[in-house]
Amino acid sequence: MLDEHDADLFEASLLLLAGTAPLRHATAARRRTEWEVVAAAWAGPPLRVEFEAEYAAARFAEVMRAVPEADCWTGRLEAGIRRRFETFVVDVTAPEPSDVLGRLQDEWTRTAELLLGDGAADEARLRARAVAVWRSALLTAAPRHSRAGLRLRAPDGRSLRLLMRSAQVLGVACEAHTGRGRQILSVGGRGAVTLRSTTRAAS
């Protein structure tokens, strides 16, 4: 049976990793695991998660409702000196932050193993989680859309494998290549339309 609660936990974990600022710097990721970096960022509550898109912040706050111990507040910040820009933030508090992070990390690990493993799995369950992977990427990975399709950056090899496997589950072909030291994923026009419509329909 499909558990939407767990699917929301997984999507929350993806958005949390994408929106935690220290993870954007490779040096921090080399010294510690990504979840250790998040835990360190939450050393002084609240945990602030930042997004470039308002809908990404709203979606993160929405799926975090799957964690009853967590409370979220959304807001906006302006930054920059010569060129002003706006970011959308979600502040997360909890009586026991380690319990919240543990729950999200456990669901992220379990679902990554489900998607990347070769064991039997319920098709609807796989599809719901594949949608979560692509929805979070379309919201946070700075995708570039054109008539030819879309291109986006994968932050690391495991994220790239999750995106490619999730595209396969959704019946979409994609290609990976290296550009300027980054892993780039390309999806053709028809596949890009399928991904956008599928992720919107599942919201």
Side-chain angles (χ1 to χ4, degrees):
M1 180 178 178
L2 179 62
D3 191 334
E4 294 294 345
H5 180 274
D6 287 349
D8 282 351
L9 281 176
F10 176 55
E11 189 165 347
S13 72
L14 293 168
L15 290 167
L16 172 62
L17 293 177
T20 301
L23 288 173
R24 298 170 190 156
H25 305 288
T27 53
R30 288 193 198 104
R31 289 194 300 268
R32 295 174 289 184
T33 69
E34 53 203 345
W35 289 99
E36 288 172 339
V37 172
V38 175
W42 208 346
L47 171 65
R48 173 155 288 182
V49 189
E50 301 183 15
F51 301 97
E52 293 181 5
E54 185 174 13
Y55 183 70
R59 180 63 183 171
F60 176 65
E62 178 183 1
V63 292
M64 279 296 289
R65 289 184 302 187
V67 187
E69 299 88 352
D71 290 314
C72 297
W73 289 267
T74 59
R76 302 184 183 199
L77 291 178
E78 284 194 1
I81 299 175
R82 293 183 179 178
R83 179 177 176 272
R84 304 293 291 176
F85 61 91
E86 191 173 44
T87 61
F88 302 89
V89 301
V90 182
D91 288 335
V92 185
T93 62
E96 297 293 339
S98 60
D99 290 347
V100 173
L101 289 182
R103 183 173 297 189
L104 292 171
Q105 182 178 1
D106 287 348
E107 185 57 38
W108 182 88
T109 301
R110 182 164 47 246
T111 300
E113 290 175 351
L114 174 73
L115 283 167
L116 297 177
D118 53 8
D122 176 76
E123 183 177 348
R125 189 167 179 240
L126 271 181
R127 186 175 178 84
R129 283 145 180 81
V131 167
V133 169
W134 272 98
R135 180 163 47 217
S136 65
L138 292 175
L139 287 171
T140 63
R144 295 185 178 182
H145 300 274
S146 69
R147 291 183 179 179
L150 70 86
R151 290 160 54 92
L152 57 80
R153 299 189 305 269
D156 52 60
R158 183 164 44 187
S159 297
L160 179 69
R161 293 193 299 274
L162 276 174
L163 284 162
M164 295 192 70
R165 170 58 177 150
S166 296
Q168 182 184 34
V169 170
L170 297 173
V172 173
C174 58
E175 295 182 354
H177 57 91
T178 301
R180 296 182 180 180
R182 297 175 179 267
Q183 295 293 326
I184 307 297
L185 203 61
S186 301
V187 182
R190 184 173 298 178
V193 171
T194 298
L195 287 173
R196 289 195 293 267
S197 62
T198 300
T199 54
R200 281 197 298 264
S203 298

